[in-house]
Every structure is written in C-alpha cells, then in structure tokens.
Amino acid sequence: MAQTFEEISAADFFYRNRDIAGFTNPARAIFSSMRELIENALDASDLFNVSPDIYIRLSQENETELGEVAVYTLRVEDNGSGIPPRHIPSAFGQVLFGSKYKLKQARGTFGLGGTMAVLYGQITTHKPVYVTSSTGTSKIYRYKLMIDIQRNRPLILDRKIQINKEKWHGTTVEFCLEGDYFRAMPKILEYLKQTALVTPYANITFTDPKGRLYKFTRATTKMPTPPKETLPHPYGVDVEIIQRLTRITPYRNMLDFMKMHFHRVGENTANRFLEFAGISERKNPKKLKPHEIVKLVRMMKRFNGFLPPDAGCLSPLGEELLKAGILKELRPEFVAVFQRKPSTYSGHPFIVETAIAYGGNVPKKDDIPLYRFANRIPLLYDEASDVSVRVIRSINWRRYRVSSETPIIILVHVCSTKVPYKTVGKEFIADRPEVKREILNGIREVARQLQRFLTKQEHVEKERRRLSVFSKYLPKIARFSMELAGKEKPPNIKKLLRTVRKLEKEKD
Ligand SMILES: Nc1ncnc2c1ncn2[C@@H]1O[C@H](COP(=O)(O)OP(=O)(O)O)[C@@H](O)[C@H]1O
Ligand SMILES: [Mg+2]
C-alpha cells in the first residue's frame, strides 16, 4: 500500500501533544488554564506599568454524577494594557502568535499558553471563547472566537463594539472547559499564594466553584523596574540568527553590522573582533557566503573580548519587594533575602534571587520546603528534577545551624530572557552549570544570614536564662552581703537587673 503524506498545523500539533504544554488530565488542565491566563494578565499590567487588579472566577456548569467529568466556566479579568483590536482574534485563536518574542523578560514565551487553554476548552466542550478588551481608547471590543485547529487560524463568530466612557483598559477572557477542580484545588491555591508572594504589588481575587472567596491584597504599590528590550549578544547567536540579520540589515559594512545588531558591541570591540575573526570591516554583510556565516558564528563564540550582557532586559523583583512578599504571605519571624549580580549562560543574561524565611508561621517539615520561581512565575510541578533541589541537597545544612527541626522555607527566583526550562510546560529549570553556581552562592548567602540570626538568638537565650537565675538570687545575695558587711543599706542592684530586662525585651 502506498504511504500517504500530510502536513499538520501548529495548532494541530499541540492538539495532538497537549501533554507537553501541561494539559495532561482534567486536574492539570484546569490548573494550567488558570495559570496561563493569570500570567498573561500579570504580563499585561507590567507592560502598562499599572498595579494589577485581577479577578478570577471559576464556576461549575453541570451537576456531575460519580465518574463524570465536570465542566467549568473560567473567567479572568485584568486592568492591564489591553490588546489592539486587530490582534485579538490571533492572540487567542492562533497557536504560536504573540507579542513576547522580543528579547526581554516576560512570563509568556511562545505565544502558546493562553491559546492552549482556549484550545483545550474548545476540544472538551465545543464552545467559543469570549474576549473583551480595550487599550484605553474610546472603544471596547468584544469578540466571540473559536480556533480552526486544522488551519491554526481564528474563527470570528461575532464582534461587538461598545463605547468606553470610563476609559477602561484591560482584558476579560471567558471560556468553558472540562476539568477537575477539586483534585487541582491544593495546587491552585498554592499557586495563587506563591503568585501573591512574588507579585506583592498585585490584588488577586479568586471565587471558586463553591463560591468561596480568596483574596490576596497588595502590600505595596511599588513595582519592579520594567525590562528594556535588548539586542542579541554575540555569545548567544547561531547561524540562523546571523542569516536572518544579513537579510534585513540596512548596513553596508561589517563594522556597522556588528555595532548596530549586537548587544554591547561598540566601535572598539567590533574592530578588535573583526580583526580576530579575519573578516574585513568593509565587507558587505549581505555578501556573506554560508561558510562565512558559519565561521563568523564560530569566531564569535571563541572571541573573549565581548563585554558581558547587561541586565537591563531583566526585571528581577529586588530585595525590598521579595521581602515584602514573604512577610505578607508567609509571616515568618526572620527573613533573609539576597540578589546576586547579573550573570550569563550561553550569552543569555540571568539574575538569581534567593531568600530564607524562618520561624513565625513557617511550619516545621522533614524536608526543607522550596519555593521556585522563574520570571516571577511560581513553578509547582516536577520539583525533583529542578536544579535548585539538587543544590539544596548538596549543602551541608548543619554548618548553618539548620536541622530537620528548623522551620524554614527556601526561595529561589531565576529571571532571564531565556529561562532554561526543560519543557514547554515551564515547570522546572535545567542543570546549567552557570545557573547552578549562582543558585548555590545565593542560597549560601541567605543561609549565612540565617546562621548569624540563629547564633545571636541562641546567645541571647543563654544570657537571658543566666540572668533570670541572677535576678532571682541577686536581691538575696545583696541582703546577705549587706548583713555580712554590717552595712545599713544594700548595694544598688537595679542597674544589673535592668540589663536582664533589656535582654529579655531584645528577645521579644
Ligand atoms: N490579558 C491579556 N492582556 C494583554 N494581552 C494579552 C492578554 N492575554 C494574551 N495577550 C496577548 O496574546 C498573546 C498570546 O498569548 P499566549 O498564547 O498566552 O502566549 P504568550 O503569553 O506566550 O505570548 C500574548 O503575547 C499577548 O500579546
Ligand atoms: Mg501567555
């Protein structure tokens, strides 16, 4: 029999392989859908530089018998940038369409997450998605859409325009999907709590299918500095990137080509590099032959005169906000935070932030609990495969006075223009030696801070015990020695006792 060959679209591919995007079963699907829409909402408010107000509502549509799958309506509303009307259909009706392919930090990456949630809803309920959005102009657009999965194109079923009297800006997305909320609930609530922790400037409200209300209130209106778009760094490019650049470049010589298309390459560096690579600075980049492009890339990797990428394209949370988030959501007795200096792996800049929360409302656990974040997203699945877990296991915690009895939580945040995720489901970070080293040094730093705190606390405790014995017997000793010395008045012991009280206060 003859073979038949056919082509499938990107949407069709993800329809057939939804596991790899985190849509494995009804519980996981509802978790992933909520998370993708929330992350889009947060990205949109970062973009608009407005403190996010996010409302999430999940309501059950059908009465289920035992063994039946439930159908839910998920609605997420934000006050972010909104979407220009002409892009709304593709943003939600086309896989691998998005605005975040730029070289700067964002939660979204491939133009996949939100659309994947909509696609999952469609293939399980056969219902459309409703998107209402405005960029703050005089109009609000409301679309009713479905995805043509075979062609990876949006189908516009209806479009309405309303007058935007209040100049509202933001987006509301609503669609139906099959799911299992009650199995997903612990993860969803954990996700919301950790999102509130790394986004301490956001108000997040969630109404669950039973009508329960979860509210996470912002602790600050200060937001992290927004990231700036950047050019590719010479260490991070490959043959394809150079090839594309030669096609679009307006520059006629290699010197300008190097200076204008790459991150942190100035006149001097460009000159030195071209000399090193044996390429004439007057050569026209459009005339580069394939083998010359390959050589160019190889020489870029070999040349060690390029400046490291700067971190302006990144937007870490910062020590102050991280601390505010931890105090708000974990209520510990002590917290240590640390932001490492920017670093790079394969030409991609990244920053690691670490924290330890101790005592207070932090419970005791046998294993040290770890909160993982990447580009301000909590990562909750596949923890065992994550690089941070390995780092924590490799540390000798006794050195830092941490035992299985110590109530602590460790937090690791990696931000990068390219987080080294192992899967498109964005659940865990791969073992890159450079990233691993930064995480290790970051955790060591906060562990040292904790150690200092614990040592001091132990010392204070010892002193307190010593002095409390003192304060009990001191008056007696004073009286006794007065009698012994034949004096009329006992010596003044008030000063000594004051020290005792001061120490006690310090402890509290
Ligand atoms: N709530 C929202 N506000 C503004 N823009 C949005 C929102 N949700 C989605 N978008 C737009 O739709 C695009 C596709 O979203 P998505 O499929 O989640 O991919 P990604 O977030 O990875 O880019 C985004 O790049 C963004 O431009
Ligand atoms: Mg997204």
Side-chain angles (χ1 to χ4, degrees):
M1 215 169 70
Q3 292 182 58
T4 53
F5 292 88
E6 58 186 322
E7 180 189 346
I8 64 165
S9 74
D12 211 343
F13 173 80
F14 285 106
Y15 160 63
R16 296 168 195 227
N17 298 287
R18 44 193 178 273
D19 294 21
I20 63 175
F23 291 75
T24 324
N25 55 53
R28 193 67 196 275
I30 204 132
F31 171 84
S32 296
S33 298
M34 280 183 63
R35 115 168 225 199
E36 293 295 350
L37 295 198
I38 292 169
E39 283 158 21
N40 282 349
L42 289 171
D43 271 341
S45 33
D46 277 356
L47 187 70
F48 212 68
N49 209 13
V50 48
S51 309
D53 281 314
I54 296 175
Y55 296 90
I56 308 140
R57 196 183 65 203
L58 191 67
S59 40
Q60 190 166 342
E61 291 305 304
N62 58 346
E63 301 265 331
T64 47
E65 308 262 314
L66 205 68
E68 253 182 2
V69 189
V71 172
Y72 299 93
T73 299
L74 171 61
R75 182 187 159 91
V76 176
E77 179 179 337
D78 67 60
N79 59 337
S81 60
I83 308 163
R86 67 178 183 285
H87 293 313
I88 293 174
S90 291
F92 293 94
Q94 189 172 344
V95 167
L96 306 185
F97 176 95
S99 55
K100 301 170 199 165
Y101 295 107
K102 307 255 161 56
L103 265 184
K104 69 174 183 184
Q105 178 184 328
R107 295 175 182 79
T109 45
F110 301 111
L112 183 66
T115 323
M116 199 56 211
V118 171
L119 187 146
Y120 185 85
Q122 177 173 321
I123 62 175
T124 53
T125 68
H126 205 65
K127 288 192 177 146
V129 56
Y130 295 87
V131 182
T132 308
S133 189
S134 178
T135 51
T137 59
S138 56
K139 289 181 185 135
I140 298 174
Y141 295 82
R142 181 177 159 84
Y143 279 85
K144 179 179 172 186
L145 303 165
M146 284 187 92
I147 308 173
D148 178 341
I149 296 174
Q150 280 184 313
R151 290 174 52 237
N152 192 22
R153 284 283 174 275
L155 297 169
I156 302 172
L157 305 180
D158 191 27
R159 186 177 100 129
K160 284 199 178 67
I161 300 175
Q162 294 163 14
I163 302 300
N164 189 8
K165 265 200 228 110
E166 263 136 47
K167 295 270 177 272
W168 172 73
H169 55 85
T171 303
T172 304
V173 183
E174 186 172 325
F175 68 98
C176 290
L177 76 162
E178 271 186 10
D180 186 345
Y181 174 70
F182 291 96
R183 211 148 61 76
M185 191 168 86
K187 281 272 198 239
I188 288 175
L189 297 182
E190 187 61 31
Y191 174 82
L192 290 172
K193 177 178 157 185
Q194 292 195 22
T195 301
L197 190 161
V198 273
T199 328
Y201 51 89
N203 277 340
I204 302 173
T205 312
F206 171 48
T207 321
D208 88 350
K210 285 267 184 280
R212 280 175 293 220
L213 182 74
Y214 298 89
K215 247 185 126 127
F216 301 85
T217 310
R218 69 170 61 91
T220 170
T221 49
K222 220 181 134 212
M223 290 173 67
T225 320
K228 288 194 280 288
E229 198 186 325
T230 185
L231 297 168
H233 191 276
Y235 290 145
V237 299
D238 55 25
V239 172
E240 176 66 19
I241 294 178
I242 302 288
Q243 154 97 35
R244 288 187 200 182
L245 285 174
T246 59
R247 236 180 279 147
I248 57 159
T249 186
Y251 303 103
R252 295 303 171 93
N253 64 65
M254 281 307 289
L255 188 67
D256 288 343
F257 181 79
M258 286 303 301
K259 265 165 51 188
M260 307 314 282
H261 289 299
F262 296 94
H263 182 50
R264 300 208 68 189
V265 178
E267 179 101 17
N268 256 329
T269 312
N271 264 322
R272 282 196 294 126
F273 168 69
L274 290 171
E275 196 183 325
F276 170 81
I279 298 170
S280 157
E281 58 182 64
R282 281 194 304 274
K283 183 162 180 81
N284 184 344
K286 287 194 183 304
K287 300 239 165 84
L288 285 173
K289 306 223 167 55
H291 74 270
E292 288 175 312
I293 291 181
V294 173
K295 180 178 160 206
L296 182 68
V297 173
R298 201 174 303 139
M299 294 317 256
M300 279 177 171
K301 300 249 188 295
R302 238 183 254 165
F303 183 62
N304 50 24
F306 291 123
L307 296 169
D310 81 37
C313 55
L314 302 182
S315 178
L317 198 53
E319 292 179 354
E320 188 189 333
L321 285 180
L322 185 55
K323 196 167 181 174
I326 293 171
L327 289 174
K328 160 171 113 86
E329 292 303 324
L330 301 178
R331 307 202 168 280
E333 178 188 342
F334 169 80
V335 51
V337 293
F338 193 70
Q339 185 185 86
R340 297 280 306 164
K341 289 217 172 60
S343 181
T344 60
Y345 79 92
S346 322
H348 309 294
F350 72 95
I351 290 179
V352 169
E353 296 177 296
T354 52
I356 285 187
Y358 163 84
N361 279 4
V362 174
K364 250 184 244 164
K365 290 271 167 68
D366 286 341
D367 243 352
I368 297 177
L370 166 67
Y371 283 19
R372 297 174 292 135
F373 303 95
N375 286 359
R376 294 197 241 132
I377 303 176
L379 309 179
L380 298 189
Y381 284 92
D382 302 324
E383 174 175 289
S385 320
D386 196 280
V387 52
S388 299
V389 173
R390 271 175 232 177
V391 170
I392 288 178
R393 294 222 177 101
S394 74
I395 291 175
N396 176 8
W397 285 97
R398 297 235 154 252
R399 262 185 53 195
Y400 301 102
R401 293 178 172 262
V402 172
S403 70
S404 56
E405 291 295 294
T406 320
I408 62 167
I409 293 177
I410 294 178
L411 297 90
V412 175
H413 179 209
V414 177
C415 54
S416 177
T417 41
K418 192 169 187 327
V419 176
Y421 291 119
K422 269 197 196 147
T423 63
V424 289
K426 298 188 279 194
E427 289 301 352
F428 60 98
I429 297 180
D431 254 355
R432 294 287 187 139
E434 299 88 342
V435 179
K436 195 171 177 178
R437 194 187 54 227
E438 283 301 303
I439 292 174
L440 177 63
N441 288 335
I443 294 180
R444 278 194 183 139
E445 174 59 39
V446 286
R448 272 194 293 273
Q449 290 183 36
L450 175 67
Q451 181 197 10
R452 277 197 289 277
F453 172 79
L454 291 177
T455 311
K456 190 170 154 207
Q457 203 187 31
E458 205 170 277
H459 175 74
V460 169
E461 177 63 25
K462 228 196 257 158
E463 271 312 87
R464 195 189 62 84
R465 249 184 276 130
R466 203 164 66 89
L467 290 170
S468 97
V469 171
F470 241 44
S471 65
K472 209 151 115 206
Y473 294 109
L474 212 54
K476 283 188 188 133
I477 295 169
R479 204 166 349 103
F480 181 66
S481 42
M482 172 191 81
E483 282 164 16
L484 209 66
K487 292 251 170 85
E488 301 271 292
K489 248 177 74 191
N492 187 2
I493 54 165
K494 274 198 189 119
K495 216 173 123 198
L496 266 165
L497 287 177
R498 260 208 300 276
T499 341
V500 179
R501 274 178 221 118
K502 210 176 111 209
L503 267 165
E504 270 175 352
K505 251 192 224 129
E506 232 173 61
K507 169 120 204 312
D508 293 337

